[in-house]
Amino acid sequence: MDAALAPARAALLAQARAEADSVRERSEVDAQHAVATATAEAGRIRRAARAEGEAEATVAAAAARTRARQEARALVLTARREAYERLGRAAREAMARMRAEPDFAAVRQRMVAAVRSVLGPDVRIVDEPDGGISGVAGGRRLDLSLTRFADRAVEAVAATDAADEEEP
């Protein structure tokens, strides 16, 4: 009986081998296709990641430049403010020394004359504690104090600096 089944067994075995070879060939083609698809997708993902990384780096670099400019500007403004404060102190000290000059009485008289010419003869003259005068008349006030002169000098320097900075 084995001999009688041998040709059927051989035919079935040949058919199974042929089917296995066909399945293996299809599997190899499918695997090659899957590898090619995965390789293409990996390349697309890498390109997208690279582009995204470059875009993020560009944004980060721009933010870093902006931060650096802001920090530099803050340093410049702080240095200017400190310089103006020193200049203001020096100007006030110079004005205080001016009060001790022998001809300050004549300067004070010219200030009184200037206040009267602006506010009228009925002006009330007030000697300011830090030197100089102010005048009050009819709700108007004119400040010719030495402190205010010093402040105006510093403001003029600051305005000139600001104008110079705005020029290209």
Side-chain angles (χ1 to χ4, degrees):
M1 187 174 298
D2 279 340
L5 293 176
R9 216 180 309 160
L12 285 173
L13 187 58
Q15 184 181 1
R17 283 188 179 136
E19 280 183 36
D21 288 343
S22 175
V23 167
R24 187 174 55 247
E25 286 174 14
R26 279 192 315 261
S27 294
E28 285 179 16
V29 168
D30 288 347
Q32 289 172 351
H33 177 70
V35 166
T37 301
T39 301
E41 180 66 10
R44 186 195 64 73
I45 289 170
R46 273 194 309 275
R47 286 187 301 278
R50 182 177 298 122
E52 185 178 329
E54 289 172 356
E56 288 176 5
T58 299
V59 168
R65 283 190 304 273
T66 298
R67 254 189 327 277
R69 278 192 304 273
Q70 289 169 341
E71 289 170 5
R73 180 73 177 149
L75 288 172
V76 166
L77 292 175
T78 297
R80 278 190 182 161
R81 180 183 43 79
E82 291 170 357
Y84 293 144
E85 287 171 358
R86 284 191 306 271
L87 178 61
R89 283 190 300 273
R92 287 173 184 232
E93 289 169 5
M95 290 291 149
R97 285 190 302 273
M98 187 175 134
R99 286 176 51 194
E101 296 291 324
D103 62 344
F104 184 70
V107 171
R108 184 187 177 285
Q109 287 305 317
R110 285 194 299 274
M111 288 179 179
V112 169
V115 167
R116 283 197 171 119
S117 74
V118 172
L119 297 179
D122 295 331
V123 66
R124 182 173 52 92
I125 302 294
V126 177
D127 283 302
E128 293 295 327
D130 294 334
I133 64 165
S134 62
V136 179
R140 297 184 315 161
R141 183 173 192 271
L142 179 59
D143 185 352
L144 296 184
S145 65
L146 297 183
T147 301
R148 186 63 188 128
F149 281 128
D151 291 346
R152 284 185 197 136
V154 173
E155 290 166 5
V157 170
T160 301
D161 285 350
D164 289 346
E165 185 177 298
E166 290 176 8
E167 291 180 10

